[in-house]
Amino acid sequence: MNPRSKYILTAFVAVAAAFAATIVLAQGSLPSWNEGPAKKAIVEFVGKVTQKGSPDYVPPAERIATFDNDGTLWAEQPTYFQFLFPLDRVKALAPQHPEWRDKEPFASLLKGDLKGALEGGERAMLEIVMTTHAGMTTEEFEKIVKDWLATAKHPKLKRPYTEIVYQPMVELLAYLRAKGFKTFIVSGGGIEFMRPWTEKVYGIPPEQVVGSSIKTKYEWREGKPVLVRLPEINFIDDKAGKPVGINEHIGRRPVAAFGNSDGDRQMLEWTQAGGGARLMMLVHHDDAVREFAYGAESKIGTFSDALMAEAKENGWTVISMKNDWKRIFAWEQ
Amino acid sequence: MNPRSKYILTAFVAVAAAFAATIVLAQGSLPSWNEGPAKKAIVEFVGKVTQKGSPDYVPPAERIATFDNDGTLWAEQPTYFQFLFPLDRVKALAPQHPEWRDKEPFASLLKGDLKGALEGGERAMLEIVMTTHAGMTTEEFEKIVKDWLATAKHPKLKRPYTEIVYQPMVELLAYLRAKGFKTFIVSGGGIEFMRPWTEKVYGIPPEQVVGSSIKTKYEWREGKPVLVRLPEINFIDDKAGKPVGINEHIGRRPVAAFGNSDGDRQMLEWTQAGGGARLMMLVHHDDAVREFAYGAESKIGTFSDALMAEAKENGWTVISMKNDWKRIFAWEQ
């Protein structure tokens, strides 16, 4: 072969290899997704917004994708994981608070009567959370969360919570990042409860976590400046709070948003209202065998009929865990 | 030359070239800095935290650098640029508010009597800001800021404000990013006032801007979801508020922090208290010829004697604009 032919052949092989690699990447990076409308919606959306010259092209800096956490990235049944944390904390702190034996909601809690404890409604829950989440420094709280996470297990699946994450969504996060997206969590959960582990579990660094928070105060303790956690709500990052939190933390409208419940409705509406190519998806918990089946009737992760109707009307994609996911957790099979 | 010698020589040349390139990068990327203690402090710090195997090594994910804006990245004299914005807005809105002719602080303002208008103190300033910054949607506000920026000029230097940025600091931002740092603005200024231009001017995207803010509310207007700006303070990102804002937005402690006034003291203290190799720097405005000379006596950008003493005691580096900077603005010379 003459040098010129050899050169052309080499170039041709290189181009063909690159092309093949792209296809393999698209197909190979979502191995836990079944072929179907959900996977198709993802791959088509990513294709058109990343294709230079496409009318839907979005520059990398604007490829913002936001994810709810509870019920979207990890399990939220039989109760939000974050609810178990204050309950365990109340038990751990009880010896220092003998008065709790006669004081609700603590008295019921210590007797193991969760339902009784929560009879006081939101005020009771708030009192439990404030008692267990405030007073210490941010560093002390981080350590408490990490220590607890190291031993706490899912009440039904009997595994650490950091393993009760949805493998298809972990693959989706990685796939989007490989395509130049910046992935954010936008959750009603406590921001300081999530940050200690989201980087390890989801590849999402603390500065890309948006959540609910209590106020903190800068002060000096033992010759060192610290941030002390105060028993005062700062921000509730849920429902209509999600677009507010997104605007405050990110300052850019997402082009893709993922949720699973009525708490995510406004985030998806806000994302779609930006116009142009947008991807809105809702995880639907319809797999009683491999996970949990719940929806309109559930108090946790309510997926109302109104939300389902809005999804249909607006062209949001509903992910069926039963049909769209080959496996749910990494440790399956 | 035998193949083995040739291989060794090639390898040697490659290593030498890489080494030389590193030195050239360090020296060549801060061209507006004079050789001296400030530049030395920067290059030495970056060298040790980025050198694998060094006891001071910091993984890229933790290389967080925070910068104050007014007086640190751009000029703040004769008054904060952001103060000129509401004053111009009051003039623009006056035709719709005939009652302002008899109502302070607006009456004085419209007569061009800034001093008189501000006699009402913080309350007067707040009234002006709330009147001009709230009521519209976030998108409308962004457009107002952009339109105003396109024509507003620095009262003394007669250039658009986006050109009144300190060239040595722009080089420092780029140098740090080239070394794997994530650069953030942490400013007392309004977050929504900065985000429309920080990416273009400093290379800092909206999600890496932390600032003061007013509250917003999600609602529907004309069939579209919007965020409406409310006349209510959400957060003041100044003094002891800076560590609070850093924790809330970034969730990680900076390893390097840059400021220029008493408003930055707590940010530098908080950065240093993380332990290990940290870089704390203060820009000192001591160049009356090329910019402005001010310090302890100035109401804007106060650099008190107490701050200077704290800098000395804690080993913070004070940057002399006069001695450490070869040029101040990109358009000089």
Side-chain angles (χ1 to χ4, degrees), chain A residues 139 182 192 195 199 205-208 216 218 220 227 234 243 247-253 266 269, chain B residues 139 182 192 195 199 205-208 218 220 227 234 243-244 247-253 266 269:
Chain A
E139 281 187 312
K182 217 167 180 173
E192 305 251 31
R195 280 172 162 166
E199 187 150 34
E207 62 269 27
Q208 285 161 227
T216 63
Y218 181 81
W220 287 74
L227 288 172
N234 180 53
N247 184 60
E248 199 169 314
H249 277 253
I250 309 177
R252 253 199 265 252
R253 199 190 294 252
Q266 291 87 346
E269 289 172 350
Chain B
E139 280 188 314
K182 216 166 181 175
E192 305 252 31
R195 281 173 163 166
E199 186 149 36
E207 63 268 28
Q208 284 161 227
Y218 181 81
W220 287 74
L227 288 171
N234 180 52
V244 171
N247 185 60
E248 200 169 313
H249 279 253
I250 310 177
R252 254 201 262 252
R253 199 190 294 250
Q266 290 87 345
E269 288 172 351

Side-chain angles (χ1 to χ4, degrees), chain A residues 48 51 53-57:
Chain A
K48 64 185 174 187
Q51 173 98 47
S54 146
D56 296 312
Y57 180 74

Side-chain angles (χ1 to χ4, degrees), chain A residues 16-331:
Chain A
F19 191 69
T22 306
I23 292 170
V24 169
L25 178 68
Q27 295 190 332
S29 50
L30 298 170
S32 300
W33 291 74
N34 286 319
E35 297 306 323
K39 182 175 172 181
K40 191 161 171 276
I42 295 167
V43 174
E44 281 185 3
F45 168 77
V46 170
K48 64 185 174 187
V49 299
T50 57
Q51 173 98 47
K52 278 208 171 167
S54 146
D56 296 312
Y57 180 74
V58 175
E62 292 168 24
R63 291 181 202 157
I64 303 290
T66 54
F67 291 79
D68 168 56
N69 184 45
D70 296 309
T72 300
L73 297 180
W74 78 359
E76 63 185 354
Q77 295 286 0
T79 186
Y80 296 127
F81 184 44
Q82 186 153 7
F83 278 9
L84 303 177
F85 173 70
L87 306 188
D88 279 356
R89 288 298 298 159
V90 165
K91 284 179 206 155
L93 294 168
Q96 297 153 247
H97 295 273
E99 77 277 12
W100 284 354
R101 261 173 282 162
D102 307 309
K103 197 187 161 197
E104 289 299 347
F106 305 101
S108 295
L109 254 194
L110 293 173
K111 280 180 226 141
D113 178 12
L114 178 58
K115 211 169 146 249
L118 296 182
E119 254 165 26
E122 204 173 293
R123 215 186 60 82
M125 194 65 219
L126 209 64
E127 197 170 347
I128 295 171
V129 170
M130 288 310 176
T131 307
T132 52
H133 285 59
M136 69 293 278
T137 70
T138 49
E139 281 187 312
E140 286 161 355
F141 185 72
E142 184 181 339
K143 192 182 175 310
I144 292 169
V145 170
K146 280 184 173 169
D147 288 351
W148 182 73
L149 271 173
T151 58
K153 291 210 165 126
H154 187 279
K156 192 182 149 193
L157 301 167
K158 308 288 178 206
R159 285 181 177 260
Y161 247 87
T162 46
E163 292 180 17
I164 313 294
V165 299
Y166 304 137
Q167 178 61 18
M169 296 305 279
V170 171
E171 292 166 8
L172 176 57
L173 286 165
Y175 172 65
L176 289 173
R177 288 193 294 263
K179 295 294 190 173
F181 283 78
K182 217 167 180 173
T183 54
F184 286 81
I185 286 176
V186 177
S187 165
I191 193 167
E192 305 251 31
F193 180 79
M194 295 184 284
R195 280 172 162 166
W197 52 267
T198 54
E199 187 150 34
K200 201 175 152 197
V201 174
Y202 302 134
I204 296 181
E207 62 269 27
Q208 285 161 227
V209 177
V210 183
S212 298
S213 56
I214 58 177
K215 288 195 188 293
T216 63
K217 187 176 180 287
Y218 181 81
E219 63 176 56
W220 287 74
R221 280 191 180 179
E222 297 168 15
K224 261 187 68 176
V226 293
L227 288 172
V228 177
R229 292 168 58 79
L230 306 178
E232 192 185 338
I233 295 283
N234 180 53
F235 182 64
I236 300 292
D237 189 50
D238 199 27
K239 300 193 173 73
K242 290 205 174 190
V244 171
I246 287 170
N247 184 60
E248 199 169 314
H249 277 253
I250 309 177
R252 253 199 265 252
R253 199 190 294 252
V255 291
F258 305 84
N260 78 300
S261 79
D262 286 25
D264 302 309
R265 187 165 63 85
Q266 291 87 346
M267 174 166 76
L268 269 61
E269 289 172 350
W270 174 247
T271 299
Q272 185 163 34
R278 306 269 160 171
L279 181 65
M280 284 66 59
M281 299 188 95
L282 288 168
V283 174
H284 194 214
H285 294 262
D286 57 1
D287 193 330
V289 177
R290 295 186 301 173
E291 204 232 12
F292 304 95
Y294 58 99
E297 78 304 339
S298 176
K299 282 212 170 176
I300 283 177
T302 316
F303 194 132
S304 68
D305 296 340
L307 180 65
M308 189 61 94
E310 188 171 346
K312 269 190 193 141
E313 193 183 322
N314 292 340
W316 302 347
T317 304
V318 175
I319 299 165
S320 160
M321 289 178 74
K322 195 170 166 182
N323 300 321
D324 289 312
W325 289 358
K326 218 170 272 178
R327 59 176 180 169
I328 292 180
F329 302 112
W331 38 264

Side-chain angles (χ1 to χ4, degrees), chain B residues 33 120 161 164 199 204-205 220 268 289:
Chain B
W33 290 74
Y161 248 86
I164 313 294
E199 186 149 36
I204 295 180
W220 287 74
L268 270 62
V289 177

Side-chain angles (χ1 to χ4, degrees), chain B residues 271-330:
Chain B
T271 299
Q272 185 164 36
R278 306 270 160 170
L279 181 66
M280 284 67 57
M281 300 189 96
L282 288 167
V283 174
H284 194 215
H285 293 263
D286 57 0
D287 193 329
V289 177
R290 296 186 299 173
E291 204 233 11
F292 304 94
Y294 58 99
E297 79 303 339
S298 176
K299 282 210 170 176
I300 283 178
T302 317
F303 194 133
S304 68
D305 296 339
L307 179 65
M308 189 60 94
E310 189 171 345
K312 270 191 192 137
E313 195 183 318
N314 291 341
W316 300 349
T317 304
V318 175
I319 299 166
S320 161
M321 289 178 74
K322 195 171 169 182
N323 301 320
D324 288 313
W325 289 358
K326 219 171 270 176
R327 58 176 181 169
I328 291 179
F329 302 112

Side-chain angles (χ1 to χ4, degrees), chain B residues 93-111:
Chain B
L93 294 169
Q96 298 155 246
H97 294 274
E99 76 279 11
W100 283 356
R101 262 174 280 161
D102 307 308
K103 198 188 163 198
E104 291 297 351
F106 305 102
S108 297
L109 254 194
L110 292 172
K111 282 180 224 143

